[in-house]
Amino acid sequence: MDTIALVPNNSLITETPEEGRQLAVKLARLIIKLTQPDEEKRKQLRDVYGNDAMMLIAVGQTVATEFATIAAANNYWQK
Amino acid sequence: MDTIALVPNNSLITETPEEGRQLAVKLARLIIKLTQPDEEKRKQLRDVYGNDAMMLIAVGQTVATEFATIAAANNYWQK
Amino acid sequence: MDTIALVPNNSLITETPEEGRQLAVKLARLIIKLTQPDEEKRKQLRDVYGNDAMMLIAVGQTVATEFATIAAANNYWQK
Amino acid sequence: MDTIALVPNNSLITETPEEGRQLAVKLARLIIKLTQPDEEKRKQLRDVYGNDAMMLIAVGQTVATEFATIAAANNYWQK
Amino acid sequence: MDTIALVPNNSLITETPEEGRQLAVKLARLIIKLTQPDEEKRKQLRDVYGNDAMMLIAVGQTVATEFATIAAANNYWQK
Amino acid sequence: MDTIALVPNNSLITETPEEGRQLAVKLARLIIKLTQPDEEKRKQLRDVYGNDAMMLIAVGQTVATEFATIAAANNYWQK
């Protein structure tokens, strides 16, 4: 099927919440990349949503949903 | 009722997060296929959402929600 | 109050993930039926959302949310 | 503050999934009632969303989210 | 940073589901207040979303999400 | 990759629900900052969504989702 990696390092485990947050952003971006593989078009679309208030909020919603899963996977980084 | 399979292999269990992510994408696509069974129309619609920034973000939101369930089903791939 | 059944068989328990997925689709459709009881109008609206990329994605989001509950109710079909 | 009851019988517990589903619908409607207390206006707005495919899907999303909470509160109606 | 209280009484614990629901509404409103501190503008915007079917549904979605957290915090008000 | 901090103090743990709520707002804002790093453009976009009823509701939805994770991480601030 699709040949790009959808989960960097094939793991949801991170050392810290900060790294977990970065992973959430990457997971969200990789789905966009999978759905629109053309780098040039993605660049144009990034320019669109980076300048549209509603789309920026929607990006935040998607990242928040990804992060919820990552945080649970890491037991909220509690020792 | 509907005769297409909605869950490949009839299982939420995967070996790795990467495969879990691929399953999340498939689950999301199969609902679209169920709702719009016409392959030609789906092809046209894919072209629409692949070039629309807001729709790409919304695809990401749906995949994130599917993935949350799959990740929980796999106990986040923790041994 | 409303007299249509909103949960087929009055149960969230299914034998398999596939049946759980089908139940998620039914639950989502029954809310639409409750909100718009006119069969003819629903038929027209289905034609609308079946041909609209954003709406197809939104259908997927709703089914994903219903499925999350059903999957949890079935303990993710783990023995 | 607001004087309408937002939770019928002040309880999330129901006998069955079907009743839980009906409660989810009621909870969602009561928030709309709280936000738009004018019965006549709500009637007009119901006519709007009952005939709009995207809004019907969005109603389904809201009910699904309410139901997730009710189902968890009832331990998914497992004995 | 921001100086308005975002959580009344600085607690998610309530006596009943009804009070939990009222808290969910307050939490949602306080984020709107934080984002648009001008009382007069908020009044105008309330008039907008109180008369827009899609926005009323979206208000319901946000309250449902807040309530899910409050209900979990109160262990669903069981015994 | 991105060089701004996405999680202040690299922790989801807060003393109180109020601080948890403030953290949820910050997490949401930092994703917007990451996606649109230009301070001047963000200022313009804030003016847009602060005066748009639907966008204000959507901001609330995103904060609610972030807060759900933070509240779980803090075990709902129960001692």
Side-chain angles (χ1 to χ4, degrees), chain D residues 1-2 4-8 10-13 27-28 31-32 34-36 41 45 48-49 54-55 58-59 61-62 65-66 69 72-75, chain E residues 16-19 21-23 25-26 29 46-47 49-54 56-61 63-65 67-69 71-72 76-78:
Chain D
M1 138 174 157
D2 311 289
I4 69 169
L6 298 178
V7 182
N10 205 355
S11 171
L12 300 182
I13 305 305
L27 290 186
I31 293 300
I32 291 182
L34 178 73
T35 311
Q36 177 45 274
K41 286 191 190 166
L45 294 167
V48 172
Y49 68 71
M54 189 63 181
M55 291 185 197
V59 166
Q61 178 65 32
T62 299
T65 305
E66 299 286 12
T69 300
N74 287 277
N75 198 26
Chain E
T16 64
E18 177 72 27
E19 291 175 24
R21 199 76 177 162
Q22 291 176 352
L23 178 56
V25 172
K26 285 180 190 166
R29 289 183 180 168
R46 268 198 298 271
D47 196 56
Y49 67 72
N51 290 283
D52 182 297
M54 189 63 179
L56 282 171
I57 297 165
V59 166
Q61 179 66 32
V63 171
T65 306
F67 184 64
T69 301
Y76 305 99
W77 298 276
Q78 290 166 335

Side-chain angles (χ1 to χ4, degrees), chain E residues 8-19:
Chain E
N9 302 319
N10 205 353
S11 171
L12 300 182
I13 306 304
T14 70
E15 286 290 319
T16 64
E18 177 72 27
E19 291 175 24

Side-chain angles (χ1 to χ4, degrees), chain D:
Chain D
M1 138 174 157
D2 311 289
T3 54
I4 69 169
L6 298 178
V7 182
N9 301 318
N10 205 355
S11 171
L12 300 182
I13 305 305
T14 71
E15 285 291 319
T16 63
E18 177 71 25
E19 292 175 23
R21 200 75 177 161
Q22 291 176 351
L23 179 56
V25 172
K26 285 180 191 166
L27 290 186
R29 289 182 180 169
L30 286 165
I31 293 300
I32 291 182
K33 186 173 181 180
L34 178 73
T35 311
Q36 177 45 274
D38 186 315
E39 170 61 21
E40 186 56 33
K41 286 191 190 166
R42 282 206 309 282
K43 194 167 167 294
Q44 294 168 9
L45 294 167
R46 268 199 297 270
D47 196 56
V48 172
Y49 68 71
N51 290 283
D52 183 298
M54 189 63 181
M55 291 185 197
L56 281 171
I57 298 165
V59 166
Q61 178 65 32
T62 299
V63 171
T65 305
E66 299 286 12
F67 184 64
T69 300
I70 293 166
N74 287 277
N75 198 26
Y76 304 99
W77 296 276
Q78 290 164 335
K79 65 186 167 316

Side-chain angles (χ1 to χ4, degrees), chain F:
Chain F
M1 154 175 139
D2 310 291
T3 54
I4 69 168
L6 298 179
V7 182
N9 301 319
N10 205 353
S11 172
L12 299 183
I13 306 305
T14 70
E15 285 289 320
T16 63
E18 176 72 26
E19 291 175 23
R21 199 76 177 161
Q22 292 176 351
L23 178 56
V25 172
K26 285 180 190 167
L27 291 186
R29 289 182 180 169
L30 286 164
I31 293 300
I32 292 182
K33 186 173 180 180
L34 178 72
T35 311
Q36 177 45 273
D38 185 314
E39 170 62 22
E40 186 56 34
K41 286 190 189 166
R42 282 205 309 281
K43 194 167 167 296
Q44 294 168 8
L45 293 168
R46 269 197 297 271
D47 196 54
V48 171
Y49 67 72
N51 290 284
D52 182 298
M54 189 63 180
M55 291 185 197
L56 281 171
I57 297 166
V59 166
Q61 179 65 32
T62 299
V63 171
T65 306
E66 299 286 14
F67 185 64
T69 301
I70 293 167
N74 286 278
N75 198 26
Y76 305 100
W77 296 277
Q78 290 165 336
K79 66 187 167 315

Side-chain angles (χ1 to χ4, degrees), chain B:
Chain B
M1 152 172 146
D2 311 290
T3 55
I4 69 168
L6 298 178
V7 182
N9 302 318
N10 204 355
S11 172
L12 301 182
I13 306 305
T14 70
E15 285 291 318
T16 62
E18 177 70 28
E19 291 175 23
R21 199 76 178 162
Q22 291 176 351
L23 178 56
V25 172
K26 286 181 190 166
L27 290 186
R29 288 182 181 170
L30 286 165
I31 293 300
I32 292 182
K33 186 173 180 180
L34 177 73
T35 312
Q36 177 46 272
D38 185 314
E39 171 61 21
E40 186 56 32
K41 285 191 191 167
R42 282 207 308 282
K43 195 167 167 295
Q44 294 168 9
L45 293 168
R46 269 199 296 272
D47 197 55
V48 172
Y49 68 71
N51 290 284
D52 182 299
M54 190 63 180
M55 291 185 197
L56 281 171
I57 297 166
V59 166
Q61 179 66 32
T62 299
V63 171
T65 305
E66 299 286 13
F67 184 63
T69 300
I70 294 166
N74 286 279
N75 197 25
Y76 304 100
W77 297 275
Q78 289 165 337
K79 67 184 164 318

